Amino acid sequence: MEKFLGLPEVASAHGAGLDNLTAIVHWLMLVIFVGWGVFFLFALFRFSAKRNPKADYHGLKSHASTYVEGAVALAEAVLLIGFSIPLWSDRVDDFPEPKDAVEVRVVAEQYAWNIHYPGADGIFGRTAVELVDAETNPLGLDSDDPAAADDITTINQLHLPVDKSALIYLTTKDVIHSFTLNRMRVKQDAVPGLETPLWFTPTVTTAQMAAREGSGEDFNYEISCSQLCGLGHYRMRGFLKIETQEEFDAWLVDNAPSEDEGGDDFWN
Ligand SMILES: [Cu+2]
């Protein structure tokens, strides 16, 4: 069904449940569409002026349509209460403990994704609006804060380990953006002034998915913006790399700010 709907192959733990729900909703809509279409054609024919020269002032006596409407409402209630609400509550109620997850801040802006890792100490350094500099310090990280010294920042490059929950704190510097990871079945609006947490567990590494897709080195998971956020919206494209834990740890070490780099050189 995922293929039939044109969905890209899922790469997160919760994704299959969402795809399943999407498929069920589409099947129900197909049944309703065909049902009402047939009924419409029947009504056109059965109640045409030619066949009914004299108006019928009593109208329909049968309750069949009421039962059909009741059945459709019941099916939709089952979808909502039986499928959608449990999936949704799993997303918003059942967050992983920070100690069991990889924590990352994602700060959207026109037109890029700023990625912020807490570094070895596990504590995000202080950020402040006054310190934001588009060229040298897009996140406004405070170099006087000791917790900031080991923080790792990137632009448009999100790395995460496979089979471990990713806990993302999402916000934006300017307008509303929408953080979208297609293959992870993740989509969350980033709203100015709010920090919205989201979480998911990637289950397929970039390398594994590339092998499955047969697209070799060219394959990337992408971060896209699903909210038309300005003229440069189309180039708000980031990359998500899912790696083994070892590869991810090595990447963190490679990207950690080195000791001899001064406080203002985090960005190089
Ligand atoms: Cu955007």
Side-chain angles (χ1 to χ4, degrees), residues 90-178:
D90 188 43
R91 289 292 86 211
V92 298
D93 234 14
D94 203 13
F95 269 69
E97 289 293 318
K99 65 174 169 49
D100 301 324
V102 178
E103 291 183 287
V104 191
R105 289 180 70 231
V106 173
V107 182
E109 69 173 81
Q110 290 170 317
Y111 300 96
W113 303 99
N114 295 288
I115 315 286
H116 182 187
Y117 292 86
D121 64 359
I123 301 169
F124 290 106
R126 193 181 85 91
T127 57
V129 176
E130 319 76 85
L131 299 172
V132 169
D133 180 291
E135 294 294 314
T136 59
N137 191 353
L139 277 161
L141 196 56
D142 180 0
S143 54
D144 290 335
D145 178 7
D150 62 354
D151 286 18
I152 298 167
T153 64
T154 78
I155 295 174
N156 292 334
Q157 301 291 335
L158 176 58
H159 284 237
L160 293 171
V162 72
D163 293 329
K164 186 164 184 184
S165 298
L167 187 47
I168 293 179
Y169 306 105
L170 180 69
T171 187
T172 165
K173 285 157 69 169
D174 37 45
V175 300
I176 298 177
H177 299 274
S178 186

Coordinates of all heavy atoms in Angstrom, one line a residue, residues 90-178:
D90 N 1.1 8.4 21.7 CA 2.4 7.8 21.7 C 3.5 8.8 21.4 O 4.6 8.8 22.0 CB 2.4 6.6 20.7 CG 3.7 5.8 20.8 OD1 4.1 5.5 22.0 OD2 4.3 5.5 19.8
R91 N 3.2 9.7 20.4 CA 4.1 10.7 20.0 C 4.3 11.8 21.1 O 5.4 12.3 21.3 CB 3.6 11.4 18.7 CG 3.7 10.7 17.4 CD 5.0 10.4 16.9 NE 5.6 9.2 17.5 CZ 6.8 8.9 17.7 NH1 7.7 9.8 17.5 NH2 7.2 7.8 18.3
V92 N 3.2 12.2 21.7 CA 3.3 13.4 22.6 C 3.4 13.1 24.0 O 3.7 14.0 24.8 CB 2.1 14.4 22.3 CG1 2.2 14.9 20.8 CG2 0.8 13.8 22.6
D93 N 3.1 11.9 24.4 CA 2.9 11.5 25.8 C 4.1 10.6 26.3 O 4.3 10.5 27.5 CB 1.6 10.7 26.0 CG 0.8 11.4 27.1 OD1 1.1 12.5 27.4 OD2 -0.2 10.7 27.6
D94 N 4.7 10.0 25.4 CA 5.6 8.9 25.7 C 7.1 9.3 25.3 O 7.8 8.5 24.7 CB 5.2 7.7 25.0 CG 5.7 6.4 25.7 OD1 6.1 6.5 26.9 OD2 5.6 5.3 25.1
F95 N 7.5 10.5 25.7 CA 8.8 10.9 25.3 C 9.9 10.1 26.0 O 9.7 9.7 27.2 CB 9.0 12.4 25.7 CG 8.7 13.4 24.6 CD1 7.3 13.5 24.2 CD2 9.6 14.1 23.9 CE1 7.0 14.3 23.2 CE2 9.3 14.9 22.9 CZ 7.9 15.1 22.6
P96 N 11.0 9.8 25.3 CA 12.1 9.1 26.0 C 12.8 10.0 27.0 O 12.7 11.2 27.0 CB 13.1 8.8 24.8 CG 12.8 9.9 23.8 CD 11.3 10.2 23.9
E97 N 13.4 9.4 28.0 CA 14.2 10.1 29.0 C 15.4 10.7 28.2 O 16.0 10.0 27.4 CB 14.7 9.1 30.0 CG 13.7 8.6 31.0 CD 13.1 9.7 31.9 OE1 13.9 10.5 32.3 OE2 11.9 9.7 32.1
P98 N 15.7 12.0 28.5 CA 16.9 12.6 27.9 C 18.2 11.7 28.0 O 18.9 11.7 27.0 CB 17.1 13.9 28.6 CG 15.7 14.2 29.1 CD 15.0 12.9 29.4
K99 N 18.3 11.0 29.1 CA 19.6 10.2 29.2 C 19.6 9.0 28.2 O 20.7 8.5 28.0 CB 19.8 9.7 30.7 CG 18.7 8.8 31.1 CD 19.0 8.2 32.5 CE 17.9 7.5 33.2 NZ 17.2 6.4 32.4
D100 N 18.4 8.6 27.8 CA 18.4 7.5 26.8 C 18.3 7.9 25.4 O 18.1 7.1 24.5 CB 17.1 6.6 27.1 CG 17.1 6.1 28.5 OD1 18.2 5.8 29.0 OD2 16.0 6.0 29.1
A101 N 18.4 9.2 25.2 CA 18.3 9.8 23.8 C 19.4 10.7 23.4 O 20.2 11.0 24.3 CB 16.9 10.5 23.8
V102 N 19.5 11.0 22.1 CA 20.4 12.0 21.7 C 19.7 13.3 21.6 O 18.6 13.4 20.9 CB 21.0 11.6 20.3 CG1 21.9 12.7 19.8 CG2 21.7 10.3 20.3
E103 N 20.1 14.3 22.4 CA 19.4 15.6 22.4 C 20.1 16.5 21.4 O 21.3 16.7 21.4 CB 19.5 16.2 23.8 CG 18.7 15.4 24.8 CD 18.7 16.1 26.2 OE1 19.8 16.0 26.8 OE2 17.7 16.7 26.6
V104 N 19.2 17.2 20.6 CA 19.7 18.1 19.7 C 18.7 19.3 19.6 O 17.5 19.1 19.7 CB 19.8 17.5 18.2 CG1 20.5 18.5 17.3 CG2 20.4 16.2 18.2
R105 N 19.3 20.5 19.5 CA 18.4 21.7 19.3 C 18.5 22.0 17.8 O 19.5 21.9 17.2 CB 18.9 22.9 20.0 CG 18.8 22.9 21.5 CD 19.3 24.2 22.2 NE 18.4 25.3 21.8 CZ 18.9 26.4 21.3 NH1 20.1 26.6 21.1 NH2 18.0 27.4 21.1
V106 N 17.3 22.3 17.2 CA 17.3 22.7 15.8 C 16.6 24.0 15.8 O 15.5 24.2 16.3 CB 16.5 21.6 15.0 CG1 16.3 22.2 13.5 CG2 17.2 20.3 14.9
V107 N 17.3 25.0 15.2 CA 16.8 26.4 15.2 C 16.7 26.8 13.7 O 17.7 26.9 13.0 CB 17.7 27.3 15.9 CG1 17.2 28.8 15.9 CG2 17.9 26.9 17.4
A108 N 15.5 26.9 13.3 CA 15.2 27.2 11.9 C 15.4 28.7 11.6 O 15.3 29.5 12.6 CB 13.8 26.8 11.5
E109 N 15.8 29.1 10.5 CA 15.8 30.5 10.1 C 15.6 30.6 8.6 O 15.8 29.6 7.9 CB 17.1 31.2 10.5 CG 18.3 30.7 9.7 CD 19.6 31.5 10.0 OE1 20.2 31.2 11.0 OE2 19.9 32.4 9.2
Q110 N 15.3 31.7 8.1 CA 15.3 31.9 6.6 C 16.7 32.0 6.1 O 17.4 33.0 6.4 CB 14.5 33.2 6.3 CG 13.0 33.2 6.6 CD 12.4 34.5 6.4 OE1 12.9 35.5 6.9 NE2 11.2 34.6 5.8
Y111 N 17.3 31.0 5.4 CA 16.7 29.8 5.0 C 17.6 28.6 5.3 O 18.3 28.2 4.4 CB 16.4 29.8 3.5 CG 15.4 31.0 3.2 CD1 15.9 32.2 2.8 CD2 14.0 30.8 3.4 CE1 15.0 33.3 2.5 CE2 13.2 31.9 3.1 CZ 13.7 33.1 2.7 OH 12.8 34.1 2.5
A112 N 17.7 28.3 6.5 CA 18.7 27.2 6.9 C 18.2 26.6 8.2 O 17.4 27.1 9.0 CB 20.1 27.8 7.1
W113 N 18.8 25.4 8.5 CA 18.6 24.7 9.8 C 19.9 24.8 10.6 O 20.9 24.3 10.2 CB 18.2 23.3 9.5 CG 17.0 23.1 8.6 CD1 17.0 22.9 7.3 CD2 15.6 23.2 9.0 NE1 15.7 22.8 6.8 CE2 14.8 23.0 7.8 CE3 15.0 23.5 10.2 CZ2 13.5 23.0 7.8 CZ3 13.6 23.5 10.2 CH2 12.9 23.3 9.0
N114 N 19.8 25.5 11.7 CA 21.0 25.5 12.6 C 20.8 24.3 13.6 O 19.8 24.2 14.3 CB 21.0 26.8 13.4 CG 21.2 28.0 12.5 OD1 22.3 28.2 12.0 ND2 20.2 28.8 12.3
I115 N 21.9 23.5 13.6 CA 21.9 22.3 14.5 C 22.8 22.5 15.6 O 23.9 23.0 15.4 CB 22.3 21.1 13.7 CG1 21.7 21.1 12.3 CG2 22.1 19.8 14.4 CD1 20.2 20.7 12.2
H116 N 22.4 22.2 16.8 CA 23.1 22.5 18.0 C 23.2 21.2 18.9 O 22.1 20.8 19.4 CB 22.5 23.7 18.8 CG 23.2 24.1 20.0 ND1 22.6 25.0 20.9 CD2 24.3 23.7 20.6 CE1 23.5 25.2 21.9 NE2 24.5 24.5 21.7
Y117 N 24.4 20.7 19.1 CA 24.6 19.5 20.0 C 25.2 20.0 21.3 O 26.0 20.9 21.3 CB 25.5 18.5 19.4 CG 25.0 17.8 18.2 CD1 25.2 18.4 16.9 CD2 24.4 16.6 18.3 CE1 24.7 17.7 15.8 CE2 23.9 15.9 17.1 CZ 24.1 16.5 15.9 OH 23.6 15.8 14.8
P118 N 24.8 19.4 22.4 CA 25.3 19.9 23.7 C 26.8 19.5 24.0 O 27.4 20.0 24.9 CB 24.4 19.1 24.8 CG 23.9 17.9 24.1 CD 23.8 18.3 22.6
G119 N 27.4 18.6 23.2 CA 28.8 18.2 23.3 C 28.9 17.2 24.5 O 28.0 16.7 25.0
A120 N 30.2 17.0 24.8 CA 30.5 15.9 25.8 C 29.9 16.1 27.1 O 29.5 15.1 27.8 CB 32.0 15.8 25.9
D121 N 29.7 17.3 27.6 CA 29.1 17.5 28.9 C 27.6 17.3 28.9 O 27.0 17.3 30.0 CB 29.4 18.9 29.4 CG 28.8 20.0 28.6 OD1 28.2 19.7 27.6 OD2 29.0 21.2 28.9
G122 N 27.0 17.1 27.8 CA 25.5 16.9 27.7 C 24.7 18.1 28.1 O 23.5 18.0 28.3
I123 N 25.3 19.3 28.2 CA 24.6 20.5 28.5 C 24.7 21.5 27.4 O 25.8 21.8 26.9 CB 25.1 21.1 29.8 CG1 25.1 20.1 31.0 CG2 24.3 22.4 30.2 CD1 25.8 20.6 32.2
F124 N 23.5 22.0 27.0 CA 23.5 23.0 25.9 C 24.0 24.3 26.5 O 23.6 24.8 27.6 CB 22.1 23.3 25.4 CG 21.6 22.1 24.6 CD1 20.6 21.3 25.1 CD2 22.0 21.9 23.3 CE1 20.1 20.2 24.3 CE2 21.5 20.8 22.5 CZ 20.5 20.0 23.0
G125 N 25.0 24.9 25.8 CA 25.5 26.2 26.2 C 24.4 27.3 26.1 O 23.4 27.1 25.3
R126 N 24.5 28.4 26.9 CA 23.6 29.4 26.8 C 23.6 30.1 25.5 O 24.6 30.3 24.9 CB 23.9 30.5 27.9 CG 22.8 31.5 28.2 CD 23.3 32.5 29.3 NE 24.1 33.6 28.7 CZ 23.5 34.7 28.3 NH1 22.2 34.9 28.5 NH2 24.3 35.7 27.7
T127 N 22.4 30.4 25.0 CA 22.3 31.2 23.7 C 21.5 32.5 24.0 O 20.7 32.5 25.0 CB 21.6 30.4 22.6 OG1 20.3 30.1 23.0 CG2 22.4 29.2 22.2
A128 N 21.8 33.5 23.3 CA 21.1 34.8 23.5 C 21.0 35.5 22.2 O 21.9 35.5 21.4 CB 21.9 35.6 24.5
V129 N 19.8 36.1 22.1 CA 19.5 36.9 20.8 C 20.6 37.9 20.5 O 21.0 38.1 19.4 CB 18.1 37.5 21.0 CG1 17.8 38.3 19.7 CG2 17.1 36.5 21.2
E130 N 21.1 38.6 21.6 CA 22.0 39.7 21.3 C 23.3 39.2 20.7 O 24.1 40.0 20.1 CB 22.4 40.5 22.6 CG 21.4 40.8 23.6 CD 21.0 39.6 24.5 OE1 21.6 39.2 25.5 OE2 19.9 39.0 24.1
L131 N 23.6 37.9 20.9 CA 24.9 37.4 20.5 C 24.8 36.8 19.0 O 25.8 36.4 18.5 CB 25.4 36.3 21.4 CG 25.6 36.7 22.8 CD1 25.9 35.5 23.7 CD2 26.8 37.7 22.9
V132 N 23.6 36.8 18.5 CA 23.4 36.2 17.1 C 24.2 37.1 16.1 O 24.0 38.3 16.1 CB 21.9 36.1 16.8 CG1 21.8 35.8 15.3 CG2 21.3 35.1 17.6
D133 N 25.0 36.4 15.3 CA 25.7 37.1 14.2 C 25.5 36.2 13.0 O 25.9 35.0 13.1 CB 27.1 37.3 14.5 CG 27.9 38.0 13.4 OD1 28.0 37.4 12.3 OD2 28.2 39.2 13.6
A134 N 24.9 36.7 12.0 CA 24.5 35.8 10.8 C 25.8 35.1 10.3 O 25.7 33.9 9.8 CB 23.9 36.6 9.7
E135 N 26.9 35.8 10.3 CA 28.1 35.2 9.7 C 28.9 34.2 10.7 O 29.2 33.1 10.3 CB 29.1 36.3 9.3 CG 28.6 37.2 8.2 CD 28.5 36.4 6.9 OE1 29.4 35.6 6.5 OE2 27.4 36.5 6.2
T136 N 29.1 34.7 11.9 CA 30.0 34.0 12.8 C 29.3 33.2 13.9 O 29.9 32.3 14.5 CB 31.0 35.0 13.5 OG1 30.2 35.9 14.2 CG2 31.9 35.7 12.4
N137 N 28.1 33.6 14.3 CA 27.5 32.9 15.4 C 25.9 32.9 15.2 O 25.2 33.6 15.9 CB 27.8 33.7 16.7 CG 27.4 33.0 18.0 OD1 26.7 31.9 17.9 ND2 27.8 33.5 19.1
P138 N 25.5 32.1 14.2 CA 24.1 32.1 13.9 C 23.2 31.6 15.0 O 22.0 32.0 15.0 CB 24.0 31.1 12.7 CG 25.3 30.3 12.7 CD 26.3 31.2 13.4
L139 N 23.7 30.9 16.0 CA 22.8 30.4 17.1 C 22.9 31.4 18.3 O 22.1 31.2 19.2 CB 23.3 29.0 17.6 CG 22.7 27.9 16.7 CD1 23.6 26.6 17.0 CD2 21.3 27.6 17.1
G140 N 23.8 32.3 18.3 CA 23.9 33.2 19.4 C 24.5 32.5 20.6 O 24.1 32.8 21.8
L141 N 25.4 31.6 20.4 CA 26.0 30.8 21.6 C 26.9 31.7 22.4 O 27.7 32.5 21.8 CB 26.7 29.6 21.0 CG 27.1 28.5 21.9 CD1 25.9 27.9 22.6 CD2 27.8 27.4 21.1
D142 N 26.8 31.6 23.7 CA 27.5 32.5 24.6 C 28.9 31.8 24.9 O 28.9 30.9 25.7 CB 26.7 32.7 25.9 CG 27.5 33.6 26.9 OD1 28.6 34.0 26.6 OD2 26.9 33.8 27.9
S143 N 30.0 32.4 24.4 CA 31.3 31.7 24.6 C 31.8 31.9 26.0 O 32.8 31.3 26.4 CB 32.3 32.3 23.6 OG 32.3 33.7 23.7
D144 N 31.1 32.8 26.8 CA 31.5 32.9 28.2 C 30.9 31.8 29.1 O 31.3 31.7 30.2 CB 31.1 34.3 28.7 CG 31.9 35.4 28.1 OD1 33.1 35.1 27.6 OD2 31.4 36.5 28.0
D145 N 30.0 31.1 28.5 CA 29.3 30.0 29.3 C 30.2 28.8 29.2 O 30.4 28.3 28.1 CB 27.9 29.8 28.8 CG 27.2 28.7 29.5 OD1 27.8 28.2 30.6 OD2 26.1 28.3 29.1
P146 N 30.7 28.2 30.3 CA 31.5 27.0 30.3 C 30.8 25.9 29.6 O 31.5 25.1 28.9 CB 31.8 26.7 31.7 CG 31.4 27.9 32.5 CD 30.5 28.7 31.7
A147 N 29.5 25.8 29.7 CA 28.8 24.7 29.1 C 28.8 24.8 27.6 O 28.6 23.8 26.9 CB 27.3 24.6 29.6
A148 N 29.1 26.0 27.0 CA 29.1 26.2 25.6 C 30.4 25.7 24.9 O 30.4 25.5 23.7 CB 28.8 27.6 25.3
A149 N 31.4 25.6 25.8 CA 32.8 25.4 25.2 C 32.9 24.1 24.3 O 33.6 24.1 23.3 CB 33.8 25.3 26.3
D150 N 32.1 23.1 24.7 CA 32.3 21.8 23.9 C 31.1 21.6 23.0 O 30.9 20.5 22.4 CB 32.4 20.6 24.9 CG 31.2 20.5 25.8 OD1 30.3 21.3 25.7 OD2 31.1 19.4 26.5
D151 N 30.2 22.6 22.9 CA 29.0 22.4 22.0 C 29.4 22.3 20.5 O 30.4 23.0 20.1 CB 28.0 23.6 22.2 CG 27.3 23.5 23.6 OD1 27.8 22.7 24.4 OD2 26.3 24.2 23.7
I152 N 28.6 21.6 19.8 CA 28.9 21.4 18.4 C 27.7 22.0 17.6 O 26.6 21.8 17.9 CB 29.0 19.9 18.0 CG1 30.2 19.3 18.8 CG2 29.2 19.7 16.5 CD1 30.2 17.8 18.7
T153 N 28.1 22.8 16.7 CA 27.0 23.4 15.8 C 27.3 23.2 14.4 O 28.5 23.1 14.0 CB 26.9 25.0 16.1 OG1 28.1 25.6 15.6 CG2 26.7 25.3 17.5
T154 N 26.3 23.0 13.6 CA 26.4 22.8 12.2 C 25.3 23.6 11.5 O 24.3 24.0 12.2 CB 26.3 21.3 11.7 OG1 24.9 21.0 11.7 CG2 27.1 20.4 12.6
I155 N 25.4 23.8 10.2 CA 24.3 24.3 9.4 C 23.9 23.2 8.5 O 24.7 22.7 7.7 CB 24.7 25.6 8.7 CG1 25.0 26.7 9.8 CG2 23.6 26.1 7.8 CD1 25.6 28.0 9.2
N156 N 22.6 22.9 8.5 CA 22.0 21.9 7.6 C 22.6 20.5 7.6 O 22.3 19.7 6.7 CB 22.1 22.4 6.1 CG 21.3 23.7 5.9 OD1 20.3 23.9 6.6 ND2 21.7 24.5 4.9
Q157 N 23.3 20.2 8.7 CA 23.9 18.8 8.8 C 23.5 18.2 10.1 O 24.1 18.5 11.1 CB 25.4 18.9 8.7 CG 26.0 19.4 7.4 CD 25.7 18.6 6.1 OE1 25.5 17.4 6.3 NE2 25.6 19.2 5.0
L158 N 22.5 17.4 10.1 CA 22.1 16.7 11.3 C 22.5 15.2 11.2 O 22.2 14.5 10.3 CB 20.5 16.7 11.4 CG 19.8 16.0 12.5 CD1 20.3 16.5 13.9 CD2 18.3 16.2 12.5
H159 N 23.3 14.8 12.2 CA 23.8 13.5 12.3 C 23.1 12.8 13.5 O 23.1 13.4 14.6 CB 25.3 13.4 12.5 CG 26.1 13.7 11.3 ND1 27.0 12.8 10.7 CD2 26.1 14.7 10.4 CE1 27.5 13.3 9.6 NE2 27.0 14.5 9.4
L160 N 22.7 11.6 13.4 CA 22.1 10.8 14.5 C 22.5 9.4 14.4 O 22.6 8.8 13.3 CB 20.6 11.0 14.4 CG 19.9 12.3 14.7 CD1 18.5 12.3 14.3 CD2 20.2 12.8 16.1
P161 N 22.6 8.7 15.5 CA 22.9 7.3 15.5 C 21.6 6.5 15.3 O 20.5 6.9 15.6 CB 23.4 7.0 16.9 CG 22.8 8.0 17.8 CD 22.5 9.2 16.9
V162 N 21.7 5.3 14.7 CA 20.6 4.4 14.4 C 20.1 3.7 15.6 O 20.9 3.5 16.6 CB 21.0 3.4 13.3 CG1 22.0 2.3 13.8 CG2 19.8 2.7 12.6
D163 N 18.8 3.4 15.7 CA 18.3 2.6 16.8 C 18.4 3.3 18.2 O 18.4 2.6 19.2 CB 18.9 1.2 16.9 CG 18.5 0.4 15.6 OD1 17.4 0.6 15.1 OD2 19.3 -0.5 15.2
K164 N 18.5 4.6 18.2 CA 18.5 5.3 19.4 C 17.6 6.5 19.3 O 17.5 7.1 18.2 CB 19.9 5.8 19.8 CG 20.0 6.4 21.1 CD 21.5 6.5 21.6 CE 21.5 7.1 23.0 NZ 22.8 7.3 23.5
S165 N 16.8 6.8 20.3 CA 15.8 7.8 20.2 C 16.5 9.2 20.0 O 17.5 9.5 20.7 CB 14.9 7.9 21.4 OG 14.2 6.7 21.5
A166 N 16.0 10.0 19.1 CA 16.5 11.3 18.9 C 15.4 12.3 19.5 O 14.3 12.2 19.2 CB 16.7 11.6 17.5
L167 N 15.9 13.1 20.4 CA 15.0 14.1 21.1 C 15.4 15.5 20.6 O 16.5 15.9 20.9 CB 15.2 13.9 22.6 CG 14.3 14.7 23.6 CD1 12.9 14.5 23.3 CD2 14.6 14.1 25.0
I168 N 14.5 16.1 19.8 CA 14.8 17.3 19.2 C 14.0 18.5 19.7 O 12.8 18.3 19.9 CB 14.6 17.2 17.6 CG1 15.7 16.2 17.1 CG2 14.7 18.5 16.9 CD1 15.6 15.9 15.7
Y169 N 14.7 19.5 20.1 CA 14.0 20.7 20.6 C 14.0 21.7 19.4 O 15.1 22.2 19.0 CB 14.8 21.3 21.8 CG 15.0 20.2 22.9 CD1 16.2 19.6 23.1 CD2 13.9 19.8 23.7 CE1 16.4 18.7 24.1 CE2 14.0 18.9 24.6 CZ 15.3 18.3 24.9 OH 15.4 17.3 25.8
L170 N 12.9 22.0 18.9 CA 12.7 22.8 17.7 C 12.2 24.2 17.9 O 11.3 24.4 18.7 CB 11.8 22.0 16.8 CG 11.5 22.6 15.4 CD1 12.7 22.5 14.5 CD2 10.3 21.9 14.7
T171 N 12.9 25.1 17.3 CA 12.4 26.5 17.4 C 12.8 27.2 16.1 O 13.4 26.6 15.2 CB 12.8 27.2 18.7 OG1 12.2 28.5 18.8 CG2 14.3 27.5 18.7
T172 N 12.5 28.5 16.1 CA 12.8 29.3 14.9 C 13.2 30.7 15.3 O 12.7 31.2 16.3 CB 11.7 29.3 13.9 OG1 11.9 30.3 12.9 CG2 10.3 29.5 14.5
K173 N 14.0 31.3 14.5 CA 14.5 32.7 14.7 C 13.6 33.8 14.1 O 13.6 34.9 14.6 CB 15.9 32.9 14.2 CG 17.0 32.2 15.0 CD 18.2 31.9 14.2 CE 19.0 33.2 13.8 NZ 20.3 32.8 13.3
D174 N 12.9 33.4 13.1 CA 12.1 34.5 12.4 C 10.6 34.1 12.2 O 9.8 34.5 13.0 CB 12.8 34.8 11.1 CG 13.4 33.6 10.4 OD1 12.7 32.5 10.3 OD2 14.6 33.6 9.9
V175 N 10.4 33.4 11.1 CA 9.0 33.1 10.8 C 8.7 31.6 11.1 O 9.5 30.9 11.6 CB 8.7 33.4 9.3 CG1 8.9 34.8 9.0 CG2 9.5 32.4 8.4
I176 N 7.5 31.2 10.8 CA 7.1 29.8 11.1 C 7.7 28.9 9.9 O 7.6 29.2 8.8 CB 5.6 29.6 11.1 CG1 5.0 30.3 12.2 CG2 5.2 28.1 11.2 CD1 3.4 30.2 12.3
H177 N 8.5 27.9 10.3 CA 9.0 26.9 9.4 C 8.4 25.6 9.8 O 7.8 25.5 10.9 CB 10.5 26.8 9.5 CG 11.2 28.1 9.1 ND1 11.5 28.5 7.8 CD2 11.6 29.1 9.9 CE1 12.1 29.7 7.8 NE2 12.2 30.1 9.1
S178 N 8.6 24.6 9.0 CA 8.1 23.2 9.4 C 9.2 22.2 9.1 O 9.6 22.0 8.0 CB 6.8 22.9 8.6 OG 6.3 21.7 9.1

